[in-house]
Structure formats: C-alpha cells, structure tokens
Amino acid sequence: MPTTLFTFARLGLYRAVVRFMAEKAVTAILLGAAMSSAVMFATSQYFALNVPRSVSGIYFSLLVLSTGGTRLLMRTLYLAAKDAGRTPVVIYGAGEAGRILLRSLQDSNNYRPSLFIDDDARMHGTTVSGIPILPLETAKKKISEKDVKTALIAIGDDNIEGQQKAAAIMAGLGLEVRVMPKLSDLVSGRVRISSLRRLKIEELLGRDTVEPDPTLMSETIKGRSVIVTGAGGSIGSELCRQILPLAPNRLVLVDVSEYALYTIVEELTATVRTHKYDVELVPVLGAVTEYEVIERVITENAVETIFHAAAYKHVPLVEENAVEAVRNNALGTHLTAQAAGRLGVKWFALISTDKAVRPTNIMGATKRLAELTVLEAAKDHPNTKFCSVRFGNVLGSSGSVVPKFEKQIQKGGPITLTHPDITRYFMSIPEAAQLVIQASAMAERGNVFVLDMGDPVRILDLASTMCTLNGRHLHSDETKEAPRGAIMLEITGLRPGEKLYEELLVTGSEVDTSHPKIKSEKTTDNTITDIERVIKQLLELRSNAAIAQALITLPLEYKLDSNQPRV
C-alpha cells in the first residue's frame, strides 16, 4: 500500500481532475498498478510468503479497475449530465482543426459534438474520441435523427474556398452555421471556443479576390498628403483604414457629419498609436459644396491625392430630396475636381456607382453628372490625373440590404423585399476600397474604371441564405400559415427610381488594365458644355419633379420609367 500510494502520487494521479481525465491519467494508473504488483510479487517471493504467483496478476487487474474504473464511471456520469443541457452539433472537417475544436468543445458548456463530416474517404467509418466520421450523404440522416440544428466549420484558415463550400452545404441543409476562430488564436489561448461566430453572408457569397498590387497600392499614397472626402461614410472610412498602412505623411479626413468624423478619427487615432504609424491625421468638418473649404484644405495640407467619396446614395431618400442630391453629388464633385486641378493635385479619384449607368433615379442621374464633371475637369487641367471608379453594392454599407435583413431576422420578420426577381452586384467594402486605391494609380484623363463585380446576386436568394445562416426558414407562401420559427417574406413592390437589374457599362465596351479586377470603359466625350452653368440651373429649380424633368433633357440617358425591367 505505501508503494502504491507513493507511485500514484509521483505520477500525478491525485492531481488529475476526474472530469478532465485523459490518456495521461490512464497511463499513470497502468504504471502505478504495474509497479505495485511488481513490488507485491517481489516481496512475496523474497520472504517466501507462499502467495500464488497469479495473485499479483489478479491484484493488478483489480487495482486498475478500482482506481481507473471508478474515475471513468464518475467522468461518464458527469459528462452525461452535462450533455443533457448542451446543443448537439455537427463538425465539418475531421482534420487537425476539427480535432482541436472537438477537444475544446468537450470542456465547454455550450455544444455537444455528435458527429464529424469529412470529404476524405479514408476517414469514413473511423472515430475521434468516440465521435464517428461520416460522409455527407450518411451524415444527412444522422443529423435528422440526432436533431442537430447547428454546424461548426472546422477547416484551416489556409483553405478559404473549402470553408465557403462547407458552409454553403451546411446552410443548404437548414443548419445554423458557425465558424471556429483562427486555429492559431485558439491554440495560443488568445480566444476561447465561445468565440464561435455566425458565418457572415459575404463569406458565403465568396468572390475570388486578387492580392493587391503593392506598386499600385502605394503609388498615390506613400509619402504623400491624401484627402478622403466623405471620410465618415462606409466607403470613405474603409479607404482611410486601407490608406493608413500605406505610409502617407498626412491623411486629411473631410466630412459634413460631426459624429461620423469623430468616430472614424477616434478609430484611426487608436490604430496609429497601436502600430506606431508616422502619419498626421487632419480632421476637417466641412462640406464639399463650399469651394472655399476645399481650396483651403488642399492648400494648407499640400494635398497630392484626393479620393472623393462624399455623396448621397440612398435611392428613395435622394428621390425625395433632388435639390440636395444635385448640390452634393454633382456640384460637390465639380467644385472638388476643379479645385484639385487648379491647385496642382496630382491624382483625383471619384467613387461612382453602377446606378449611374442609364439611370432611372435621381441618385444615379446625379452620379452620372458627377462622372461628366470629372471628364470636364480632366480636359481643363491636363496636369492632374482624373478618374471615376464605378462599382455596385458593397456588403454591410450604410443603407445596404444586408444589415436591413439582419435586423428584420433578429426581430423575427417579416423580411421586406421590393420584387422577387430583383438582382444586384455585391462586393465587400475592403475589396472595393483596395481596388479604388489601385485604380487611382492608373488614372489618366478622366477615364472611368469599372470594378469586376462577378455575377449579380438575386436578392430573394440572399434573404433566404441569411435566414438559413441564422437557423431560420424563409416562408414566402402568403396563402399558408408560416411554420413555427419561420421568417415571413413580404413583397412591397419596386420603389420610385428602382430597377430590377443594374448595369456597369454606359458604352457597353471595356478594355483590360494591368489589374485583372479593374476594367477601363471606352468612354464617350462629355457632351454638356459649361457643366457648372447646367448644375446651377438645376439648383434654381425647387421641386423634385422639375429637377427630374430637367435631368431628362441632359445627355445622361436618364429615364423616369423605373419599374420596367431592363436586361
């Protein structure tokens, strides 16, 4: 007995917590029991105690069962009681990431692993810690039998395409999809398994991205004084975030909204401190429609590059506020571009939109007018390199359909959709900002760059996928009562100025550039003479209808009939 107790203590058996008992504890029990049995056998033989030799073997078995078996029984009872309150989950991926996730989940209070899914046929039929590894088709039946509602994606950070594919499959089965934290963060302890997060819709849409060209990224930024107008907005703020690591000597942030400007300046100030960037942040509270403000800011800060993101872009709101749309979108761009040219700014990039192509709303028409003001400025000031960068919707921007749908899902519905066949182009805000910066380095004489947006997305499919990611079902049949837990779909009809389909090209012709995701449209000449006079005449009109009628007469291809699909 003294030998047994001493051996078990030295091997750490009495320090092991029963509910966390693993292979090391089993090894300690086997070694301790073997040592104790060996001492018993040696003692009985040395002192001729007439003890049968089989007793040492029987004693070894009983000691292992009594010390290990009781602990294993208590551990099993504890885990069984704990499992009753945990959510059954399926883990997609039985590789290294999946095994680390499994070990973490076994100690958690939230999730109970029920089965693995893996595409590797060599693993099928095997188990990890008693959890079976199954092919997808077999797992579908088990998911229903075990009432699994949640899927955890455990695929390494280096396989983004695999993560997206697995998430799409699991979402297609109606499961709530969550993604494990980065493997390196989980192993290092920087994050806990409770950090499992819902899959973002932009991750599931999964565009093929291209690594940014370092030369293009730094050409208009590094060591220069840069202005971002509309710096507090969705695109403007992301441009600022992308610009900081590119080592400008000064970043000037212009915005008319005090709160938006305060928020982005606070964020960037913290980033500068954390990364010790050698850059001066200059916040400017002012409107781009005031020429004196723009002129002063450019002169005082010796600006070399301007990213003009300031604009009103929410289609229904702009439709009801046409005067302000003309003032901000058209006049603001005209004044800023002309100031850039007169004061010797080297690069000027306008953030445009796909709604500027054959517009059917005031917002699109004023943004097309803004593109034409850039063309005029390029002719007036050939020493400044002007361009417009046109792209579609960005996921998660203010006014975007994605955050709107998220709020509606959280409230339990209904999800409101203007038309079941409406489609839009989408890209992420960071990708859009990167491409805008790279396009600015290729600017010449007012050319229009068009970002590769991929294929258009049907908004109804987007809404359905978002419901699935949240473990809900989208119910669209108004004649039947929605099942419990379903989100009701409500079709509201197209809003004034809204198109079913968006386009990216005015002329229908584009040419490649040095970047595979950036095309250059073969533009026509600006046919509006004295564009400043035209804008001032528009601002003299005081009604939305009058401005709309005046815009129709301009060479913008603007049409009022918005509720007819345009393919």
Side-chain angles (χ1 to χ4, degrees):
M1 288 182 66
T3 301
T4 305
L5 293 173
F6 175 78
T7 304
F8 281 156
R10 292 292 295 175
L11 292 172
L13 181 62
Y14 301 127
R15 295 193 299 272
V17 180
V18 172
R19 65 175 180 269
F20 298 138
M21 194 175 73
E23 292 83 357
K24 188 175 180 180
V26 174
T27 302
I29 290 170
L30 291 173
L31 286 175
M35 182 70 71
S36 179
S37 300
V39 170
M40 170 185 280
F41 178 78
T43 302
S44 64
Q45 294 300 311
Y46 182 79
F47 291 106
L49 297 178
N50 198 27
V51 176
R53 295 180 180 181
S54 61
V55 168
S56 297
I58 296 171
Y59 169 70
F60 171 80
S61 301
L62 290 174
L63 185 58
V64 169
L65 287 173
S66 60
T67 55
T70 54
R71 285 169 168 80
L72 183 61
L73 176 63
M74 294 305 296
R75 180 177 183 270
T76 302
L77 292 174
Y78 170 80
L79 292 178
K82 186 178 180 181
D83 283 349
R86 297 197 298 172
T87 303
V89 296
V90 55
I91 301 176
Y92 199 113
E96 180 187 7
R99 293 163 195 261
I100 291 175
L101 179 59
L102 174 64
R103 287 196 291 270
S104 301
L105 290 176
Q106 287 174 334
D107 299 332
S108 77
N109 296 316
N110 301 322
Y111 300 108
R112 170 169 52 85
S114 295
L115 58 108
F116 277 104
I117 297 177
D118 202 282
D119 299 330
D120 189 346
R122 295 171 298 179
M123 293 186 177
H124 297 162
T126 62
T127 63
V128 178
S129 298
I131 308 299
I133 303 175
L134 305 175
L136 178 62
E137 291 305 316
T138 306
K140 288 179 181 178
K141 300 176 183 177
K142 295 292 184 181
I143 287 172
S144 178
E145 291 174 5
K146 295 177 179 289
D147 196 30
V148 175
K149 304 294 184 185
T150 304
L152 309 181
I153 307 302
I155 296 177
D157 308 332
D158 57 343
N159 188 2
I160 301 299
E161 185 178 346
Q163 289 180 348
Q164 293 171 345
K165 178 183 175 183
I169 292 172
M170 293 293 95
L173 296 177
L175 301 181
E176 177 187 355
V177 181
R178 289 184 176 267
V179 183
M180 68 181 292
K182 286 187 176 182
L183 194 59
S184 56
D185 291 341
L186 196 61
V187 172
S188 66
R190 285 193 292 270
V191 298
R192 297 182 178 181
I193 200 62
S194 57
S195 300
L196 282 164
R197 59 174 177 80
R198 294 183 188 275
L199 189 75
K200 297 177 182 177
I201 186 64
E202 51 262 44
E203 294 173 298
L204 197 55
L205 290 176
R207 290 167 42 82
D208 293 329
T209 58
V210 175
E211 285 296 314
D213 184 325
T215 303
L216 292 177
M217 287 292 286
S218 61
E219 174 68 20
T220 61
I221 305 294
K222 188 174 182 180
R224 305 187 187 280
S225 179
V226 181
I227 282 181
V228 176
T229 68
S234 304
I235 293 294
S237 60
E238 183 60 31
L239 279 170
C240 294
R241 296 184 192 101
Q242 300 274 352
I243 288 169
L244 270 190
L246 299 174
N249 61 34
R250 183 180 294 113
L251 177 57
V252 184
L253 301 91
V254 180
D255 205 289
V256 73
S257 168
E258 180 184 34
Y259 179 71
L261 186 61
Y262 166 79
T263 302
I264 186 61
V265 169
E266 283 290 293
E267 178 189 332
L268 296 182
T269 300
T271 303
V272 168
R273 288 199 193 106
T274 302
H275 296 281
K276 295 181 172 57
Y277 291 136
D278 184 17
V279 57
E280 179 187 1
L281 297 178
V282 182
V284 177
L285 191 60
V288 294
T289 54
E290 299 293 334
Y291 183 82
E292 294 78 10
V293 172
I294 297 300
E295 185 178 44
R296 173 178 56 82
V297 171
I298 292 175
T299 303
E300 290 180 354
N301 294 283
V303 172
E304 297 176 79
T305 304
I306 295 179
F307 293 98
H308 184 58
Y312 291 140
K313 61 182 182 180
H314 194 273
V315 171
L317 283 178
V318 170
E319 204 70 17
E320 298 299 323
N321 295 274
V323 175
E324 289 308 310
V326 172
R327 190 189 318 279
N328 196 55
N329 294 357
L331 180 63
T333 302
H334 171 70
L335 295 178
T336 307
Q338 288 294 331
R342 289 189 190 119
L343 299 173
V345 173
K346 293 182 179 180
W347 292 277
F348 178 96
L350 166 68
I351 312 302
S352 190
T353 170
D354 56 357
K355 293 174 178 62
V357 180
R358 283 176 278 280
T360 59
N361 50 63
I362 299 291
M363 193 279 275
T366 55
K367 289 297 284 184
R368 177 56 182 159
L369 195 53
E371 289 182 356
L372 297 181
T373 68
V374 173
L375 276 172
E376 182 178 80
K379 291 180 181 178
D380 295 342
H381 309 285
N383 292 328
T384 298
K385 295 181 178 180
F386 289 92
C387 72
S388 299
V389 186
R390 190 189 294 152
F391 53 92
N393 298 272
V394 286
L395 291 162
S397 67
S398 59
S400 167
V401 70
V402 172
K404 176 184 175 182
F405 283 171
E406 285 177 345
K407 290 178 181 178
Q408 291 176 336
I409 292 170
Q410 294 305 315
K411 290 180 180 178
I415 280 182
T416 56
L417 183 65
T418 58
H419 194 286
D421 295 325
I422 196 167
T423 62
R424 290 293 181 265
Y425 291 100
F426 285 100
M427 69 164 44
S428 70
I429 297 178
E431 183 187 6
Q434 279 187 358
L435 291 174
V436 166
I437 292 171
Q438 292 173 91
S440 70
M442 297 186 284
E444 294 175 355
R445 297 296 179 87
N447 47 331
V448 176
F449 292 112
V450 180
L451 303 188
D452 180 359
M453 299 293 297
D455 296 324
V457 176
R458 189 167 176 246
I459 304 301
L460 178 58
D461 295 337
L462 180 73
S464 178
T465 302
M466 290 183 66
C467 287
T468 302
L469 291 180
N470 285 273
R472 309 293 289 272
H473 171 69
L474 184 65
H475 183 74
S476 57
D477 191 347
E478 296 182 1
T479 63
K480 296 182 180 179
E481 184 179 350
R484 185 176 181 181
I487 301 290
M488 194 68 193
L489 176 68
E490 182 180 316
I491 304 297
T492 60
L494 288 172
R495 298 170 296 184
E498 189 171 37
K499 289 196 289 187
L500 280 180
Y501 309 100
E502 297 291 1
E503 304 165 273
L504 289 168
L505 295 172
V506 171
T507 62
S509 180
E510 62 183 27
V511 295
D512 292 336
T513 68
S514 60
H515 195 289
K517 291 288 185 179
I518 303 174
K519 308 295 182 182
S520 181
E521 183 179 41
K522 291 182 178 178
T523 57
T524 56
D525 291 336
N526 178 14
T527 55
I528 300 179
T529 57
D530 197 355
I531 203 164
E532 183 174 4
R533 178 181 58 81
V534 170
I535 293 173
K536 287 181 178 179
Q537 288 175 347
L538 288 171
L539 292 174
E540 291 172 359
L541 303 173
R542 306 313 299 173
S543 73
N544 297 325
I547 289 177
Q549 290 298 328
L551 287 170
I552 290 175
T553 65
L554 299 176
L556 307 173
E557 297 189 65
Y558 171 49
K559 294 183 179 180
L560 281 176
D561 187 9
S562 62
N563 290 341
Q564 295 300 320
R566 180 190 293 275
V567 181

